[in-house]
Amino acid sequence: INAEYMGRSHSMDSRPTGATEWAKHVAISASPAFAWVLVGAPFDIIRVRLQTTSRARFASAWQCLYETVRLEGVFALWKGFVPSLCLSFPHAAVLFGVYRYMRPAGTPDDSALRSHYWGVFTAGVCSGVVPALLQNPWDVWRIRLQTDYSSKKGVLQELLRSKYGWRVFARGGSLTAFRSMGGSGVFFTVHECCMAQLARLRDENRNNNNNNNNNNNNEKKKKKKK
C-alpha cells in the first residue's frame, strides 16, 4: 500500500494473476493487521477499561489486568478481537487508496506550493470520510465487548435489540468522522512536506557529491599533465 501510495511503478508481471496469487496478496496484506490486533488487544482492553471507570474500580493498569484475568479468564484480554480485526484490515487500504486517487498530481514549483498543499490537505480530509463510516460500527461493537465484565455472549444481539436498533452503531459517528478526517488531512500534509524536504536534501547532497567528484577528477587530470 505504501509503495503504491508513494507512486512507485509496478510492472504488470508483478501483479497477481489468478485466485491463488490474489489469495497470497490478501494474506500478506492481512497479516500485519492480524499481528497488530493480536499483540495490541490486551493493551487496548486495559486502556479502554481504565478510561471508562474510576480509580475506585481500578487503581492502576496492573490491577485492571489482574482483576480481568482473575474474574473473566485470560482470553478476556482479547475481547473485541473480531471487530478490531475487521476494522484494521481494510482501514489502511481504503485510506491510502482514496488519498492516492484524490491527491494533486505532479510535483509543484515554489510558486504553487500553497495551492498544492491545500489540495493535499483536502485529499487527506476526504480520504478520512470512508474509513470513518466503516470504523464507527466496529468501534461501537468493540468497545461494548471490552467494557462487558461478564463472560456471557450475545453483546452484538443486545446492541441490535436495544431501543436504538441498528442506529446504535452510528453513535459517536460525528466525533469519529471529525477525528478521522482532520487527522488524515494533517497526517498527509505533514507527510508530503517531510517527503518533499527529504527529496530536496537528497538532490542537494547528490549535486554536491557530483561537484566534488568533478573537482577531484579535474585536479587529478591537472596533476597528470604536470
Side-chain angles (χ1 to χ4, degrees), residues 29-192:
S29 300
S31 56
F34 180 82
W36 176 265
V37 175
L38 184 66
V39 175
F43 297 93
D44 196 39
I45 192 170
I46 300 301
R47 176 186 61 85
V48 169
R49 290 190 172 190
L50 286 174
Q51 291 176 341
T52 55
T53 57
S54 65
R55 290 185 64 85
R57 180 66 184 271
F58 299 118
S60 66
W62 289 111
Q63 184 188 1
C64 183
L65 175 63
Y66 174 76
E67 293 293 336
T68 299
V69 174
R70 184 177 68 88
L71 297 175
E72 303 172 53
V74 69
F75 289 107
L77 297 175
W78 282 271
K79 280 186 173 181
F81 179 84
V82 173
S84 296
L85 185 62
C86 294
L87 173 64
S88 299
F89 175 56
H91 184 270
V94 173
L95 183 72
F96 282 97
V98 174
Y99 174 74
R100 187 188 176 198
Y101 178 77
M102 299 193 66
R103 178 184 180 275
T107 302
D109 53 21
D110 293 338
S111 61
L113 281 179
R114 178 173 295 183
S115 60
H116 174 77
Y117 285 119
W118 268 116
V120 167
F121 179 78
T122 303
V125 169
C126 293
S127 70
V129 174
V130 178
L133 295 175
L134 296 174
Q135 179 180 358
N136 204 72
W138 297 110
D139 250 352
V140 171
W141 183 22
R142 174 182 63 84
I143 293 173
R144 293 297 181 92
L145 282 170
Q146 292 177 338
T147 54
D148 177 32
Y149 294 92
S150 65
S151 58
K152 65 181 181 180
K153 298 180 180 180
V155 173
L156 181 59
Q157 288 80 357
E158 289 183 2
L159 285 172
L160 293 173
R161 291 172 184 170
S162 67
K163 64 179 181 179
Y164 298 103
W166 62 269
R167 291 176 299 171
V168 71
F169 295 106
R171 299 196 69 180
S174 58
L175 294 175
T176 302
F178 181 78
R179 180 189 65 183
S180 179
M181 294 165 62
S184 298
V186 172
F187 167 77
F188 283 114
T189 303
V190 173
H191 182 274
E192 292 282 355

